[in-house]
Amino acid sequence: MTGWLRIVGLGPGAPGARTPDAEDALNAATDLIGYAPYLERFSPRAGQIRHATDNREELARARHALTLGANGHRAALVSGGDPGVFAMASAVFEALESGPASWRALDITVIPGITAMLAAAAHLGAPLGHDFCAISLSDNLKPWALVLQRLTAAAGAGFVIAVYNPRSRARPDHLREAFTALRKILPPATPVAFAAAITRPDEHVTVTTLEAANPEQADMRTLVLIGSHETRVIARENAPPFLYTPRSTAA
Ligand code: SAH
């Protein structure tokens, strides 16, 4: 049997938000590797082996997936959202670069998924209609000072900012510090959205302003979207507002 490795994006949660290519890779795999809650999102086929892992051991998980593929297994390594956005694909290529030369002959494909910021943006309207960027607030893999520097530079340059990993039990105050830094740069009325568990049964979205935004509202299932001074809110009666950023901008 010829082995392969597919690095599969599962999308934000709902099966309907998963691509047919991702579905095909999951069905064709002999082995599924990933963080346990991601593996729980779909039912295994008979005979498939599940390798549930800890979320922190990214490189070890990547090497394990490469080893399975190199040994003739059809390995699907799964990530939530898109595997290339703050997720496993980079870890695989890092492991590949420093691993045995034989791994480079392996059939490796990245299968994209809908990343959280796109799912959240679609739910809200069109907040990413003009220039935007994505920043992870996790300081597991980079210094916190760099996160703040990038956030303030992006806000100062007029980007809408999609904030991943906004808050966790290990880092309860990061989002508060981020809002404090941003309030020095952006107007108080700048729209801010908290989009939690998008496409999942516990989905919850609120739209507020930078002035009123309460960091306690975010957790690890939340994508925080910070508007630019161009971002607009369309209020509606008995329905949540729409958020959009116009395509055109003043000089
Ligand atoms: N690879 C993933 C991101 C992994 S980082 C992707 O492309 O979406 C994990 C962070 O993604 C979470 O802390 C949260 O900020 C965001 N996230 C993932 N799924 C989400 C969802 N369904 N709704 C809102 N945010 C989500």
Side-chain angles (χ1 to χ4, degrees):
M1 185 167 77
T2 311
W4 46 244
L5 173 58
R6 305 276 181 264
I7 309 164
V8 183
L10 297 178
R18 204 146 67 214
T19 70
D21 280 357
E23 212 67 62
D24 287 349
L26 297 176
N27 284 329
T30 53
D31 294 70
L32 300 162
I33 307 110
Y35 179 43
Y38 295 148
L39 291 178
E40 281 156 21
R41 284 201 202 160
F42 50 89
S43 349
R45 192 174 46 69
Q48 264 179 338
I49 304 167
R50 295 191 155 215
H51 307 264
T53 57
D54 185 275
N55 203 20
R56 298 204 159 230
E57 291 299 317
E58 283 200 351
L59 263 183
R61 198 185 326 163
R63 287 196 193 100
H64 182 205
L66 283 159
T67 305
L68 284 168
N71 289 340
H73 296 242
R74 297 192 301 267
L77 174 60
V78 301
S79 275
D82 182 271
V85 178
F86 306 125
M88 282 306 298
S90 296
V92 169
F93 293 111
E94 202 177 323
L96 183 68
E97 194 178 11
S98 61
S102 59
W103 279 357
R104 297 188 185 204
L106 182 62
D107 171 7
I108 301 173
T109 315
V110 180
I111 299 179
I114 298 176
T115 188
M117 75 175 172
L118 298 185
H123 187 105
L124 287 158
L128 305 181
H130 202 66
D131 298 342
F132 64 89
C133 68
I135 298 183
S136 167
L137 287 205
S138 168
D139 64 350
N140 284 343
L141 304 167
K142 62 186 171 189
W144 176 240
L146 181 64
V147 178
L148 281 182
Q149 186 193 323
R150 287 187 177 159
L151 263 180
T152 49
F159 290 107
V160 170
I161 306 171
V163 176
Y164 285 74
N165 296 310
R167 194 160 169 266
S168 71
R169 247 170 283 159
R171 300 174 283 101
D173 296 323
H174 278 182
L175 188 59
R176 180 182 310 285
E177 286 179 37
F179 283 159
T180 302
L182 291 171
R183 283 178 186 133
K184 293 180 185 146
I185 297 171
L186 295 170
T190 302
V192 170
F194 292 84
I198 296 296
T199 80
R200 298 185 210 150
D202 49 342
E203 175 180 274
H204 183 66
V205 178
T206 55
V207 175
T208 177
T209 61
L210 182 57
E211 185 178 32
N214 173 10
E216 307 281 323
Q217 217 186 307
D219 59 17
M220 281 310 280
R221 305 161 317 143
T222 308
L223 188 290
V224 180
L225 221 130
I226 297 156
S228 69
H229 60 271
E230 320 268 352
T231 305
R232 309 195 47 82
V233 178
I234 303 178
R236 297 189 295 163
E237 271 188 34
N238 305 320
F242 284 125
L243 208 61
Y244 83 102
T245 308
R247 301 289 313 283
S248 59
T249 189

